[in-house]
């Protein structure tokens, strides 16, 4: 079992987003391209993960899920949203059942 966490990945994304040039860091190139480009990449990876879920192999889904998590963290970075804010929201939502939580958001 690995000790690698989303927090670790978020720190790496932050470091790479602050790299000296976009030529040396893919993450920096995405951040410099702005929120729309990051959203496009996140959407593409989300679709690929969905397709892997529906008809891909376990190995394909693992790879696509990793891509989604990475691109989500880049998107959060470009919009200046800290992973801790997302985790706090998830924690808040787990205080009630999923059905009740979803119903509260639909009002």
């Amino acid at each position: 079992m690995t000790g690698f966490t989303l927090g670790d990945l978020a720190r790496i994304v932050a470091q790479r987003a602050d790299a000296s040039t976009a030529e040396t860091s893919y993450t920096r190139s995405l951040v410099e391209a702005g929120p729309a480009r990051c959203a496009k990449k996140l959407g593409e990876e989300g679709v690929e993960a969905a397709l892997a879920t529906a008809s891909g192999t376990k190995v394909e889904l693992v790879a696509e899920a990793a891509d989604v998590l990475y691109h989500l963290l880049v998107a959060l970075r470009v919009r200046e949203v800290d992973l801790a804010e997302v985790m706090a929201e998830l924690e808040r939502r787990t205080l009630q059942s999923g059905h009740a939580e979803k119903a509260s958001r639909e009002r």
Side-chain angles (χ1 to χ4, degrees):
M1 187 72 178
T2 179
F4 190 74
T5 68
L6 277 178
D8 294 333
L9 181 57
R11 282 186 290 283
I12 291 167
V13 165
Q15 290 169 350
R16 292 181 181 174
D18 293 337
S20 59
T21 68
E23 290 78 34
T24 61
S25 170
Y26 176 65
T27 303
R28 171 99 185 221
S29 69
L30 288 172
V31 170
E32 284 185 4
R37 175 72 175 136
C38 294
K40 183 176 187 247
K41 285 302 298 177
L42 178 58
E44 290 170 2
E45 298 302 342
V47 168
E48 291 172 7
L51 293 172
T53 300
S55 60
T57 66
K58 180 178 179 177
V59 170
E60 290 168 331
L61 179 55
V62 167
E64 296 304 338
D67 289 345
V68 168
L69 292 174
Y70 164 76
H71 283 283
L72 175 59
L73 290 173
V74 172
L76 292 174
R77 171 73 182 196
V78 78
R79 292 301 308 263
E80 300 179 355
V81 175
D82 192 272
L83 177 60
E85 294 174 74
V86 176
M87 298 309 291
E89 176 64 12
L90 286 170
E91 182 179 30
R92 183 193 66 76
R93 290 181 182 190
T94 61
L95 297 175
Q96 57 187 327
S97 79
H99 293 303
E101 190 283 325
K102 184 177 180 190
S104 74
R105 287 187 285 130
E106 292 177 349
R107 295 179 191 161

